[in-house]
Amino acid sequence: MMSQKEKSVFSRGPDLLALPSQSRRLRMGIVGGGRISKVQSLGMRLSDRWEVSAGAFSTDRDRSAARGREWYLPQDRIYTDYRQMAEVEAGREDGIDAVTITTPNDSHYDIAREFAARGFHVFCEKPMTTSVETSLELVAAVRSAGIRLCVAHAYAGHAMVRQAREMIRSGSIGRVRQVHVEYAQEWMLGEEIQSFSHVKWRQDPARSGGTACTADIGTHAHHLAAFVSGLEMTRLRAELLVCGPLKQLDDTVYVNARFEGDVPGLLWASQVAAGNFVGLRFRIYGDTGGLEWDQEKPDFLYYSKVGQPAQVVRRGYGGGNSDSVERLTRAPAGNAEGWLEAWANVFAEFAADVAEKKGLLLEPPVPLFYATVEDGARGAKFVEAAVTSDRAGGAWTNCQIEF
Amino acid sequence: MMSQKEKSVFSRGPDLLALPSQSRRLRMGIVGGGRISKVQSLGMRLSDRWEVSAGAFSTDRDRSAARGREWYLPQDRIYTDYRQMAEVEAGREDGIDAVTITTPNDSHYDIAREFAARGFHVFCEKPMTTSVETSLELVAAVRSAGIRLCVAHAYAGHAMVRQAREMIRSGSIGRVRQVHVEYAQEWMLGEEIQSFSHVKWRQDPARSGGTACTADIGTHAHHLAAFVSGLEMTRLRAELLVCGPLKQLDDTVYVNARFEGDVPGLLWASQVAAGNFVGLRFRIYGDTGGLEWDQEKPDFLYYSKVGQPAQVVRRGYGGGNSDSVERLTRAPAGNAEGWLEAWANVFAEFAADVAEKKGLLLEPPVPLFYATVEDGARGAKFVEAAVTSDRAGGAWTNCQIEF
Amino acid sequence: MMSQKEKSVFSRGPDLLALPSQSRRLRMGIVGGGRISKVQSLGMRLSDRWEVSAGAFSTDRDRSAARGREWYLPQDRIYTDYRQMAEVEAGREDGIDAVTITTPNDSHYDIAREFAARGFHVFCEKPMTTSVETSLELVAAVRSAGIRLCVAHAYAGHAMVRQAREMIRSGSIGRVRQVHVEYAQEWMLGEEIQSFSHVKWRQDPARSGGTACTADIGTHAHHLAAFVSGLEMTRLRAELLVCGPLKQLDDTVYVNARFEGDVPGLLWASQVAAGNFVGLRFRIYGDTGGLEWDQEKPDFLYYSKVGQPAQVVRRGYGGGNSDSVERLTRAPAGNAEGWLEAWANVFAEFAADVAEKKGLLLEPPVPLFYATVEDGARGAKFVEAAVTSDRAGGAWTNCQIEF
Amino acid sequence: MMSQKEKSVFSRGPDLLALPSQSRRLRMGIVGGGRISKVQSLGMRLSDRWEVSAGAFSTDRDRSAARGREWYLPQDRIYTDYRQMAEVEAGREDGIDAVTITTPNDSHYDIAREFAARGFHVFCEKPMTTSVETSLELVAAVRSAGIRLCVAHAYAGHAMVRQAREMIRSGSIGRVRQVHVEYAQEWMLGEEIQSFSHVKWRQDPARSGGTACTADIGTHAHHLAAFVSGLEMTRLRAELLVCGPLKQLDDTVYVNARFEGDVPGLLWASQVAAGNFVGLRFRIYGDTGGLEWDQEKPDFLYYSKVGQPAQVVRRGYGGGNSDSVERLTRAPAGNAEGWLEAWANVFAEFAADVAEKKGLLLEPPVPLFYATVEDGARGAKFVEAAVTSDRAGGAWTNCQIEF
């Protein structure tokens, strides 16, 4: 038998995700066939909690079939119409447990409503909907259907993001006094890209919801700031900017923010910041310490306590990881984890919640931290407030939402 | 339709592994139930080429069953005896296509022989066997059975390791003039760990094959040096050392090496180098440039061309990745990949080869680079030569092998 | 004789500062005796262009004498009154050529006027004066006296800051589209420090000029942004904040900016950002590339050209340093330079200008880039505009100045 | 008056070197006029303990005069013959206190003897002499003359090297178990450089002492290993290699070492390791922790205690710097120090010792750590042992020396 000590040494190493076991893998249906649907599918597989069991990948039969083959789906689980998928799957004994929505922003609401109404749980790409109004309607729909909805803020699934959150909650940096968060990319530079289909709908106000960069990546930064600091953003002043090739909507946004307790902060995002790929970073400063994290090196969290040498807190063995963080770890300290692990963590937490609802959980539930439908509504409010503030010349604008 | 340009922009982003498609996922049986079997299983799932379909996880029925449940296996695919698994699975229509061997070193040979003899393909933990003699017998057995054997040198599956290899082959650093490789860990420090079961068999000459650190991690460094430089190690001088708590076998090894063309190099490995988790790193210097890589930040490859600013070559978009590297990529540049992706790449390449043998490949085959049974024999020769040299006071000793 | 090639290889290495030679070292008098006066003195010595020849280090005779001994000054060059020093030194044949002013902000103006009026050249700590009005009067005084005034923006003396400036001027990143600059410190955290003398005058509006953090370090960030980007800041919106222990003036400032050509940017500075020592950093994004620099690792400049691997541009040999940068280099590439070299560079450039005015230059003059009296006035305007904007609730405020 | 607390906060910041004050600056004569003489001169100036007062820069009158002008020397202090300089300066009231020898290796011994015999203190470039025999004769000469000799191991003057040494002495990593040190450069790549004068004498066995890379940079690594670990190297096995363009002597050396207490280690040096400028690095592993340092980022020392997050120990404020380290600091934490500070520290320590000998010290002496004539002899022994071992096919060879 393993001693306590031996267990603790073993726990330095890899383990299956230490969330409660389920009696079976859950079955996911996919709506949409873009690249993000592939990424999500890999996250699901890695989570070992989900199988891709059905999909409406495209309204074009051949394209949908081709994508379905990638997941080895039988013909009768490949659809061209999400409504049909909802109806057929609802009638199957081995039908899907949940659906993931990976289509353009303006369609999220209708699809989510359709599946929620039939009792399917929903995983939804961000931004959840394109208006505060629809997001609140979706909150109501989800609540009334009694289903779970998870918004795809995958970055919050990184173990070291969880570690930062836990450290702040336990007082490692004292009272939070400033929140800096940024998300810098470069991919919208270049003239030719402006005409590509996945750029075009993002630049179409009707489909994207009135902002491009703000909705697309600003919402990630907004969610991460609150998730880690433990403080919701309450008001903001925003500038929506075009800093790259001429276009209809913003490719850059600067936000001056106040968080709960009147804590100030800065948030900026840009898709034309040359040299940046996925430059999502936070720096949170408290009375007695600070924390920094960069998504591109996700295993490393930099912690400074005033008057002491800075520490490099790492996933896994090495001191300091909280239990709820070790639970989300698959590789030993020193063997890198990455973005797909973050996705897998979010899918695993979502699975644990869905499994509990369906009576498939084999162990007692644990606290879960995925982004909920309410978080999705907070993101919609953030986007709306940014637009409002920008139109008012950068006036302070409320961005908090009541449920 | 997507233009060529649009495709190239899209190719910046994530894609399913771009190896030839298969008509179905392959079925893997697992022998052994330690942590590495879990890691491998996650790698298989992430590869989307394999399912865990059967397992002899332990000779203890309850332990084997418990582990089987983690992979949602039905009772009749969970075994306590690998021979029985081989026999039963060979008789099933939906039987396994291959087996992975994750047991202690001294058992690899017998298990591999058993499955090879029945025509199963074999995935084998390193070191492949504990002697040159048995490794050569396994080479013969594999060849005569006409099956594929892959040795678990997962680090060679990292995209940036492939990139380094490709750059060297294409002349980016000129003629290779020095090869430095090291693998530093710290986990064997601490008195209590010496009595743990997974340490004990590694320190038992009969089970490990006469060396501990050299066989366990030295073989990874040995394989990586040749894989990246394109040059096999030909002779060596070695010191086997105990630099941590007293123990029977080496926890540290220093190797002076010569590679093909009489290129000199240094290889060292230690499991008691405080502050190191998985410090596998190479630095290869040529006439006109150099390349450096650190496994703990696997997405970054440092390339210096004499007289020019150093470059940070990154997986994915950003210039310079070769096709055979992009083929092994799942996340866009900037979204981190890690160790499980490296495992998944090796499993995917092994799958492509197995699928071709079985007529399940849907597209033409591509070049594959996983470690073969011959590479496994080279590793055994390296270990044997290191022991021989150490016993002879560090004499130069041949470590090349003829097949 | 050295060949051209040999010379170029040699030039990889250290050399005395390659600015025009002078027939003698210049003589500097110091007003003020705080730590920055010591730092400046080391910078002067390292420049090999200056000797500390006199000083009014304190109004207390003993303290002034003690500090004078550190520079091995004879008794008759140690003063307790800067006016007396000005008068006496003006009458000596071997009198000082210039004076450096290292006293609290509110005294700069009077001291500079006094020495300028007597024809001494002036080196002045930042902020140059505490109001736009006095700064413009000082511009007029300096012009009318025909002397040189250098403001102590030492960070602009770092070789890699010059390199960034040169690269932007030569088009390496295309048209500048965003300017991000920040200066984060932590030293104002801690309750006890609030009562220290060097903090107290900074927090006294009458002595500091109405802002603390903004004047103290915000002006450095403001100068650096314009110096590197080549674009002056034209208007701003500012928030002056207290994010650390309660105090009278700002310890943090957030600035939304526009630069010439309506280029947007963000500038923030904080003296209570835990974990930061001297976190002065810029990131400048253009149409085709970006540049990043961190003062704490000053020898490394990160350059990204869209579609190519990022480059680490280094001081000295290795490609890419422009002539005007190599001119400011003392150590070979790989041997670190630091803050005192930056000071030495500024003092050396100031010396070259003073020597030319005095007919002491032995070679033709070269372009010089130190911060002038006009730059000092720009800094005063920046501070004033930040206060004005903050009081107006963050309204856009002009911060450009006409001369 | 400053409170204790205020003093401690102030001590975070820059200060003049906190070694004992001297009643005057010491006067240095220079023999040799290459680049290293300039570097040394800058180190002297920065130390504020020395003035360059005389020099025999070249046997060519014009060249010597030109170099003398760079230090503003009067004509009568510029020599073309070091013997003449020794004689004349010995007769001057304001004559030099010490001499620094920056000529090719084979001349060090004669020059040092000449000046020692006249009672001048000596600062000597490494390697001190080209044989063990002459180095021991120099030890005897220095002892008999009662003068001080300092060998130019400037890297040991870096504050963080001192910090590492202090941490090891105070038990921060437990008992030292492995010592890894390396010094990688690239400048000897390239065909043309082989014909340059400063390369030619290094490649001439008669002038360099039988090795090139080993004597030139191997001795730095050898000194640093012992200095930091506190353990002298006792025996070694060495390979002298040519890994770059064909040449007469080694451009690369690999050393397997034993240190006092039979502690194993590896030392390697190469001047043809593409991508390396001044890659002098150590990694020292103990029972309970490890320390890493890279000369190219000298302000950062990485400290790992087993089972705790790694720490970034920095010069200056931030916790953990010992008194003897803070004494060598000029810039506040966060403002970078570099190579010239290391030189200045060595010159300052040498000055303190010389000043004490000459009765010029104004305060009680403190412990000093510069490399002595005995350290120089240890370096000569190391080089000789490496050659002996290499010729004997890498046999274990004693490298300890008795005095």
Side-chain angles (χ1 to χ4, degrees), chain B residues 36-85:
Chain B
I36 198 65
S37 72
K38 296 189 183 184
V39 170
Q40 287 195 8
S41 300
L42 289 172
M44 286 181 231
R45 272 194 78 73
L46 186 54
S47 80
D48 199 33
R49 273 13 188 203
W50 294 94
E51 288 296 355
V52 176
S53 301
F57 302 107
S58 171
T59 54
D60 178 273
R61 174 143 302 279
D62 289 348
R63 292 179 74 143
S64 198
R67 182 54 57 93
R69 275 196 297 275
E70 288 178 0
W71 300 107
Y72 308 95
L73 295 185
Q75 279 304 319
D76 66 340
R77 307 298 286 274
I78 302 173
Y79 304 87
T80 53
D81 176 354
Y82 75 84
R83 286 178 200 83
Q84 192 195 8
M85 180 166 91

Side-chain angles (χ1 to χ4, degrees), chain C residues 20-33:
Chain C
S21 301
Q22 308 166 190
S23 54
R24 66 164 170 85
R25 290 193 186 104
L26 295 166
R27 293 182 289 267
M28 184 72 87
I30 296 178
V31 182

